[in-house]
């Protein structure tokens, strides 16, 4: 089975075209890749599938085999994959995800995608759609006690849940200590959540560090960047167009006032391609 490993400023995923090859058990394969590594160990596995609602469907699986809703970094790499591998000649591509329909604009240099603009849709703020324990209609700047500290938290969902806390300095912040505590704080989130720690440099520049549920700190997260901007705008910390710096690189994020959609712009890279022998597929 052919695979491609791609990176999009923080997340490494293994991409597999299942339009032209058959895959019987994606959850087992996701665990197989994670456990064996095969030199391709990644944050997860992304399948490019046919769709009757869009140009392609993206299915994303965590290393434990569970299926995830959506990831902004994974979404951008799908755009590069389908163009660079000749699955489409379009430079505007529609992708179906469990988190909804997403739109990509591809920028091409020398017949390869060099940059991707991803429309990841509207942020979900309603606590009816984000599993939280609160009397608020929207989970914005909710005061919470974490490890004896009084912090203010905002919850946002893109199909995959995130929360963000603004701190004075992300460099000095103990991401593992607080991220793991929040991830398992079921009094706030019945389901585990990703945690973005954000630092406002100025109204047009934010630094973040990201704690990913079940994984630990990551070097980047596209939807984490978008979450920081949503929370920043809602609390009048930042403008609607912001540069977001994460360990893995910089994304340009805009929360469009007319469409209410979040737009993220940043590149994706092909790390390498190879082939996995899968005896488990014959079972």
């Amino acid at each position: 089975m052919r695979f491609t490993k791609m990176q999009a400023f923080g997340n490494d995923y293994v991409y597999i075209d299942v339009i032209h090859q058959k895959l019987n058990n994606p959850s087992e394969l996701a665990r197989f890749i994670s456990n064996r590594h095969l030199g391709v160990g990644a944050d997860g596995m992304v399948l490019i599938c046919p769709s009757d609602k869009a140009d392609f469907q993206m299915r994303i699986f965590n290393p434990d085999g569970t299926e995830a809703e959506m990831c902004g970094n994974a979404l951008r790499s799908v755009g590069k994959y389908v163009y660079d591998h000749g699955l489409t000649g379009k430079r505007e591509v529609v992708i179906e995800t469990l988190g909804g329909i997403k739109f990509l604009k591809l920028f091409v240099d020398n017949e390869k995608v060099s940059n991707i603009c991803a429309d990841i849709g509207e942020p979900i703020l309603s606590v009816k759609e984000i599993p939280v324990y609160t009397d608020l209609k929207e989970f914005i700047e909710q005061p919470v006690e974490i490890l004896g500290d009084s912090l203010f938290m905002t919850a946002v969902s893109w199909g995959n849940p995130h929360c963000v806390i603004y701190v004075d300095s992300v460099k000095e912040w103990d991401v593992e200590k607080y991220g793991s505590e929040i991830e398992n704080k079921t009094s706030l989130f019945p389901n585990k959540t990703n945690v973005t720690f954000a630092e406002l440099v100025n109204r047009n520049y934010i630094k973040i560090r990201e704690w990913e549920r079940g994984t630990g700190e990551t070097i980047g997260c596209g939807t984490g960047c978008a979450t920081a901007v949503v929370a920043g705008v809602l609390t009048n910390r930042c403008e609607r167009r912001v540069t977001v710096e994460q360990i893995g690189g910089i994304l340009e994020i805009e929360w469009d006032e007319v469409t209410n959609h979040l737009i993220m712009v940043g590149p994706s890279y092909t790390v390498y391609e190879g082939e996995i022998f899968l005896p488990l597929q014959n079972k």
Side-chain angles (χ1 to χ4, degrees):
M1 175 161 283
R2 298 290 303 173
F3 74 90
T4 301
K5 183 176 179 181
M6 304 183 78
Q7 181 186 83
F9 274 2
N11 292 126
D12 285 341
Y13 284 100
V14 170
Y15 289 76
I16 299 175
D17 167 13
V18 293
I19 298 174
H20 299 102
Q21 53 189 348
K22 186 177 179 181
L23 175 60
N24 296 325
N25 193 330
S27 294
E28 189 172 357
L29 176 58
R31 290 191 296 269
F32 180 79
I33 289 172
S34 176
N35 292 339
R36 288 287 300 278
H37 296 298
L38 303 167
V40 298
D43 292 309
M45 178 183 74
V46 177
L47 304 182
I48 294 109
C49 313
S51 171
D52 57 5
K53 299 177 182 178
D55 295 311
F56 303 95
Q57 181 189 29
M58 177 183 95
R59 294 181 66 190
I60 180 170
F61 291 82
N62 298 314
D64 64 0
T66 57
E67 188 164 3
E69 300 90 345
M70 207 278 289
C71 169
N73 282 342
L75 178 71
R76 295 209 320 283
S77 287
V78 165
K80 180 172 176 62
Y81 185 101
V82 296
Y83 189 92
D84 288 0
H85 286 78
L87 301 186
T88 185
K90 294 181 178 180
R91 298 194 182 190
E92 295 188 2
V93 183
V94 183
I95 304 293
E96 176 189 357
T97 76
L98 285 183
I101 299 294
K102 312 298 179 186
F103 302 90
L104 301 176
K105 183 177 181 180
L106 311 179
F107 300 89
V108 178
D109 291 316
N110 298 319
E111 300 183 352
K112 299 289 184 182
V113 172
S114 59
N115 209 1
I116 304 103
C117 175
D119 178 343
I120 63 172
E122 296 188 41
I124 298 169
L125 296 165
S126 169
V127 296
K128 293 181 180 180
E129 298 186 61
I130 303 171
V132 294
Y133 292 118
T134 179
D135 293 329
L136 299 177
K137 292 182 179 180
E138 296 175 332
F139 197 85
I140 302 170
E141 289 286 271
Q142 172 76 37
V144 294
E145 290 289 325
I146 306 293
L147 298 171
D149 291 327
S150 297
L151 304 171
F152 293 91
M153 180 186 298
T154 300
V156 181
S157 178
W158 308 97
N160 51 342
H162 285 75
C163 68
V164 60
I165 296 173
Y166 272 86
V167 299
D168 291 336
S169 170
V170 290
K171 182 179 180 181
E172 304 299 328
W173 195 257
D174 192 333
V175 170
E176 181 177 4
K177 177 181 176 182
Y178 287 89
S180 57
E181 176 70 14
I182 295 167
E183 175 186 349
N184 294 292
K185 197 171 180 62
T186 55
S187 60
L188 283 175
F189 297 97
N191 298 325
K192 291 183 177 182
T193 183
N194 300 314
V195 188
T196 303
F197 298 99
E199 171 190 344
L200 185 71
V201 178
N202 59 52
R203 291 187 63 85
N204 296 102
Y205 201 100
I206 295 170
K207 293 181 179 181
I208 75 160
R209 288 174 66 188
E210 184 79 9
W211 179 266
E212 189 169 297
R213 55 183 173 173
T215 301
E217 185 174 3
T218 65
I219 66 172
C221 175
T223 39
C225 291
T227 300
V229 174
V230 169
V233 172
L234 290 173
T235 57
N236 196 32
R237 287 183 171 93
C238 70
E239 304 300 329
R240 285 183 171 265
R241 178 174 288 184
V242 182
T243 298
V244 183
E245 176 186 331
Q246 52 192 329
I247 297 170
I250 289 175
L251 284 178
E252 301 296 330
I253 307 287
E254 180 181 0
W255 188 6
D256 188 280
E257 195 166 4
V258 176
T259 65
N260 204 38
H261 286 196
L262 256 289
I263 310 298
M264 65 170 65
V265 180
S268 171
Y269 306 95
T270 298
V271 181
Y272 58 78
E273 298 185 314
E275 190 165 325
I276 307 171
F277 175 65
L278 298 173
L280 57 91
Q281 292 300 299
N282 297 323
K283 294 180 179 179

